[in-house]
Amino acid sequence: MEARLQQLNKVLQPLVWAIVLVGLYLSSLYNYLLYHSLAELFSVVIAVGVFAIAWNSRRFLENNYLLYLGIAYLFVGIIDLAHTLSYKGMSIFSGFGANLPTQLWIAARYLEAVSLLLAPWFLRRRLNPVALFAGYSLVFTLLCLTIFYWRIFPVCFVEGVGLTPFKKISEYIICGILAGALVFLWRQREEFDRMVLRLIIWSIVLTMASELAFTFYVGVYDLSNFIGHFFKILSFYLIYKAIIETGLVKPYNLLFRNLNLSEEALRKRTAELEFANRELESFSYSVSHDLKAPVRAIGGFARILASEYAGKLDSEGLRLLQIIRTNTDLMSALIDDLLALARLGRVQIKKSLVNMTVMTNQVFTQLRADTPNRDLHLTIGDLPPALGDHSLLYQVMVNLLTNAVKFTKSRPSAIIEVGGRIEDQENIYYVKDNGAGFDARFIGNLFRPFQRLHRSEEFEGTGVGLALVKRIIQRHGGRVWAEGKVDEGATFYFSLPKNGA
């Protein structure tokens, strides 16, 4: 049904406009003043409509071309209205004659041409609409004063003689300005919907044709005057099609095109970043894997020296050898952690229902066995089951509970609490301890790789554990965050979607 209506509209619209144009032509034969008034009032209505659309959509327009033209066309329309009312035979402005409407015509066309020339400059620049409106109001006032009050605007038409050189030259200058507007508009063509751009270009071309037609008439009712107004009607009709009809019927094409382009650019950039990230992960994995062999060799030779040549080394030599062993162990741990980070991007997640209570007990039992001299107390609250990769979530719990044990080593008794809750569309879990805590000012560094908030002399580690936690949870579609105070413990949270998405 909708397709048929669109097809019918495509047929009816040209037919209606053909009837309108024929009617205008017949009206010119009956009464040229009637034809002129209809033609000019049509352009005035379009101009005011362009302003109304632009002004009321100014808060969400991403480029200012439409807004600039809207404000400009309001004042062009007002001058065209004055031109209509002052036309020969209307008998509204006494004491001016046929020169007045011609002066107003030239003033309006200069204003229109210069506005079309300047408008593309504001496509990507900020525009203060109030200041622009005030500026055009000042220009409009000055033009009115030069024409109506001071009467210093150049003469454009002399009864019985015709157009003055100033008027004819002005028409050619206006055509030149419009040609410049076309060039600038074409250079910024990527900022426009293709159909809108085409309509505006043809509108400017027809405006130029109209100006050229107005260089030939001698009497204000001459044929060239009729043709000039005919072209002007077509020009303003195309502006109507480009801005008013598109703005009302297809606002996405006109008002949100930049947003659409931004989304496309963002998608392309995201794809590029994902590819670069995969390349970086592959590189990190390869380099880390290759570094393990020489580090292992250095550590092995250091152990051989310590066991077989210890008697040949003095105390300083043994101290330096111990430094080598300590640093190779640290480097080996860093490489292992880097491999783990790189491997995360290559591991395929296999989701299943995970009993988080059982997993927590398994991890804590192993930690208690690894630290038999520590007084560790674990409290497990309600832990909703999770839908995720068992091995990866096991790593999450290992890292969080290991941190809790590590950062409570200065406490006589380590109090660790693990709990959870169901909230909206996600399950939230937490691991809380009574350990060293952290300074909340540096919380942004907590989950970054190789970032440490405590001195290595106090707490061993590479600073990768929490980064691993964040990567794993993000791959599951969840999020991580933390709370803590210095010497008052810390709580680490992570969430997982209830449906595992």
Side-chain angles (χ1 to χ4, degrees):
M1 183 66 180
E2 186 177 346
R4 289 183 179 179
L5 288 175
Q6 290 179 350
Q7 191 67 29
L8 183 63
N9 185 54
K10 288 180 180 180
V11 174
L12 287 178
Q13 199 172 61
L15 180 62
V16 169
W17 276 101
I19 293 173
V20 169
L21 294 176
V22 170
L24 284 171
Y25 172 70
L26 294 176
S27 70
S28 71
L29 298 178
Y30 173 73
N31 187 313
Y32 188 85
L33 195 59
L34 173 62
Y35 161 74
H36 178 266
S37 298
L38 291 174
E40 290 296 337
L41 289 175
F42 174 83
S43 66
V44 170
V45 171
I46 295 295
V48 174
V50 169
F51 168 75
I53 291 290
W55 187 260
N56 287 289
S57 60
R58 66 188 184 278
R59 282 175 288 187
F60 53 88
L61 282 174
E62 289 201 7
N63 73 57
N64 294 305
Y65 182 86
L66 174 59
L67 180 57
Y68 189 98
L69 279 190
I71 294 172
Y73 266 84
L74 173 67
F75 291 93
V76 171
I78 294 172
I79 298 176
D80 276 341
L81 178 61
H83 161 79
T84 305
L85 297 176
S86 65
Y87 208 72
K88 184 178 180 180
M90 296 294 285
S91 303
I92 294 177
F93 295 97
S94 59
F96 285 92
N99 180 49
L100 176 60
T102 314
Q103 289 176 317
L104 290 168
W105 172 269
I106 285 296
R109 302 290 73 78
Y110 265 123
L111 192 61
E112 181 183 10
V114 171
S115 299
L116 287 167
L117 180 69
L118 295 178
W121 194 75
F122 288 95
L123 272 166
R124 296 181 180 178
R125 291 174 173 82
R126 297 183 65 179
L127 176 66
N128 186 329
V130 175
L132 182 66
F133 193 94
Y136 268 91
S137 298
L138 178 62
V139 172
F140 171 77
T141 301
L142 290 174
L143 285 173
C144 289
L145 288 173
T146 58
I147 295 172
F148 289 98
Y149 185 72
W150 297 322
R151 299 196 182 190
I152 58 175
F153 196 91
V155 175
C156 295
F157 185 85
V158 178
E159 292 281 1
V161 177
L163 302 175
T164 64
F166 169 78
K167 203 272 186 181
K168 291 182 179 180
I169 293 172
S170 290
E171 299 284 15
Y172 294 126
I173 292 174
I174 290 168
C175 286
I177 296 172
L178 291 171
L182 281 175
V183 172
F184 290 146
L185 187 63
W186 183 252
R187 287 180 179 177
Q188 303 285 351
R189 61 187 180 277
E190 298 300 327
E191 300 291 328
F192 292 88
D193 175 78
R194 185 177 298 178
M195 180 56 68
V196 172
L197 176 68
R198 190 180 302 158
L199 291 170
I200 294 176
I201 287 175
W202 276 109
S203 174
I204 295 175
V205 169
L206 287 172
T207 301
M208 294 170 66
S210 172
E211 296 307 307
L212 291 175
F214 282 118
T215 62
F216 298 111
Y217 71 87
V218 175
V220 294
Y221 298 152
D222 284 359
L223 177 62
S224 62
N225 197 301
F226 166 81
I227 294 173
H229 281 93
F230 193 81
F231 282 143
K232 185 186 179 187
I233 292 171
L234 294 177
S235 169
F236 272 76
Y237 168 67
L238 294 181
I239 286 290
Y240 158 81
K241 291 284 291 182
I243 297 178
I244 295 183
E245 184 177 287
T246 306
L248 293 175
V249 180
K250 304 173 184 176
Y252 181 86
N253 290 355
L254 188 64
L255 304 180
F256 301 110
R257 184 173 185 275
N258 278 357
L259 178 60
N260 188 35
L261 292 175
S262 297
E263 289 177 350
E264 290 178 4
L266 180 60
R267 283 194 294 268
K268 182 178 178 181
R269 184 61 176 162
T270 301
E272 292 174 352
L273 288 174
E274 287 176 350
F275 176 77
N277 190 49
R278 288 194 298 269
E279 291 290 303
L280 182 59
E281 287 177 345
S282 178
F283 173 76
S284 300
Y285 184 84
S286 177
V287 169
S288 301
H289 187 273
D290 292 343
L291 282 175
K292 284 185 70 68
V295 170
R296 192 182 299 115
I298 294 171
F301 283 121
R303 282 190 293 273
I304 292 172
L305 287 173
S307 62
E308 297 186 12
Y309 296 90
K312 297 180 180 181
L313 297 173
D314 58 14
S315 60
E316 180 63 18
L318 291 173
R319 188 183 70 82
L320 295 175
L321 187 59
Q322 184 58 41
I323 291 174
I324 292 174
R325 293 182 63 182
T326 301
N327 281 278
T328 53
D329 289 343
L330 178 60
M331 184 175 290
S332 180
L334 284 169
I335 291 172
D336 287 340
D337 287 342
L338 186 59
L339 271 172
L341 269 176
R343 203 177 281 122
L344 272 178
R346 305 157 70 93
V347 173
Q348 183 177 359
I349 294 180
K350 299 177 181 178
K351 293 182 179 179
S352 61
L353 198 62
V354 179
N355 189 319
M356 298 296 287
T357 302
V358 172
M359 177 183 287
T360 302
N361 275 312
Q362 290 173 343
V363 173
F364 189 74
T365 299
Q366 182 61 48
L367 288 173
R368 188 190 293 276
D370 293 340
T371 55
N373 299 322
R374 294 285 308 279
D375 183 19
L376 305 178
H377 296 275
L378 174 67
T379 301
I380 301 179
D382 292 331
L383 292 178
L387 188 60
D389 188 293
H390 185 279
S391 62
L392 292 179
L393 293 181
Y394 191 88
Q395 288 185 50
V396 169
M397 200 56 69
V398 166
N399 278 288
L400 292 179
L401 286 174
T402 299
N403 274 0
V405 171
K406 177 170 62 177
F407 289 101
T408 56
K409 71 178 185 178
S410 62
R411 300 290 189 258
S413 181
I415 307 299
I416 302 170
E417 179 185 343
V418 179
R421 64 182 183 272
I422 299 174
E423 194 171 283
D424 296 330
Q425 297 301 312
E426 60 183 3
N427 296 335
I428 297 177
Y429 306 89
Y430 67 87
V431 176
K432 183 178 181 180
D433 64 66
N434 64 333
F438 58 85
D439 191 334
R441 292 178 300 171
F442 307 108
I443 196 170
N445 294 329
L446 265 181
F447 297 97
R448 293 179 182 173
F450 310 109
Q451 295 289 321
R452 296 172 54 84
L453 301 190
H454 302 85
R455 295 195 305 271
S456 57
E457 296 83 14
E458 292 181 292
F459 303 100
E460 69 282 356
T462 61
V464 175
L466 290 177
L468 278 169
V469 169
K470 182 178 181 180
R471 291 285 300 275
I472 291 171
I473 297 303
Q474 284 182 336
R475 287 206 63 190
H476 279 77
R479 54 198 177 96
V480 295
W481 67 100
E483 298 173 353
K485 291 183 180 181
V486 176
D487 291 327
E488 294 184 20
T491 306
F492 290 87
Y493 300 87
F494 66 92
S495 70
L496 295 171
K498 287 172 63 176
N499 58 5

